Amino acid sequence: MNERVFKAMSDGTRRKIIELLKDGPKTAGEIANHFPHAQPTISRHLNVLKNANLVVDQREGTYIIYRLNTTILQEWLAWLLEHFGGGDDAE
Amino acid sequence: MNERVFKAMSDGTRRKIIELLKDGPKTAGEIANHFPHAQPTISRHLNVLKNANLVVDQREGTYIIYRLNTTILQEWLAWLLEHFGGGDDAE
DNA sequence: TTAGTATATAGCTATATAGCTAATAAAACA
DNA sequence: TGTTTTATTAGCTATATAGCTATATACTAA
């Protein structure tokens, strides 16, 4: 499993971005409006998520639309369950 | 969910320690022997895991035995599934 | 071309983290 | 007590990261 996914998911702001995008694609501005941080700060968080391949972006006119890459997210969860889940005796 | 758990799990060495401890409790030295790092380096990783409550330690003579806190690990996985799992339309 | 809007990049600061070696602590045992 | 073994803590360096402001880029529309 790609280390970048773990690093990306280890930040609370980025996890909230992922949760936002679970409800559907959003522009960078819409995403930024959900946070108290400056817009460039969110832009960089989005870039971290993009480098982890957890989101994809697509320019639409002046807007850039971000959407979740559900495949990577599901693969990550599957990897976690495989490695850390169900290890208890009383399962 | 405790931010410390995410930070703890975002490091590859610490994830390997967790996997080792899934096979049963081990002393700090046994754990360190599985890695190319200096022993104090592993000691600090163990401390990060301890602060996240992912492991507990117990002195046994000169040894200190680490064991997995499966509860926290399972709670973490459950939290992840709840927030990020099953969001796909075609589930 | 100019102006305006949306977003990213550059450049900075402060803080966190992973690694190391050296020193310290805690227990066992002669 | 002094020595050995096991492990942690202290102190350091190098690197990464999250935040900011200022600037640049990409597109739209006048």
Side-chain angles (χ1 to χ4, degrees), chain A residues 14 37-38 40-41 44-45 59 62:
Chain A
R14 288 193 291 264
H37 306 301
T41 297
R44 226 196 15 196
H45 280 304
R59 182 173 278 276
T62 22

Side-chain angles (χ1 to χ4, degrees), chain A residues 1 5-7 9-11 15 76-77 79-81 83-85, chain B residues 1-11 15 18 49 52-54 69-85:
Chain A
M1 176 50 56
V5 176
F6 280 96
K7 299 293 186 192
M9 295 302 281
S10 73
D11 181 87
R15 288 197 299 276
W76 181 62
L77 290 172
W79 188 96
L80 289 174
L81 286 175
H83 285 75
F84 303 120
Chain B
M1 176 50 57
N2 188 351
E3 183 77 7
R4 289 186 190 188
V5 176
F6 281 96
K7 299 293 187 192
M9 295 301 281
S10 74
D11 181 87
R15 288 196 300 276
I18 295 285
L49 291 170
N53 207 20
L54 279 161
N69 185 352
T70 46
T71 304
I72 294 289
L73 190 60
Q74 298 307 313
E75 282 176 3
W76 182 63
L77 291 171
W79 189 96
L80 289 175
L81 286 175
E82 187 183 324
H83 285 75
F84 302 121

Side-chain angles (χ1 to χ4, degrees), chain B residues 11 14 37-38 40-41 44-45 59 61-62:
Chain B
D11 181 87
R14 289 193 290 265
H37 307 300
T41 297
R44 226 196 13 195
H45 280 303
R59 181 173 279 277
T62 25

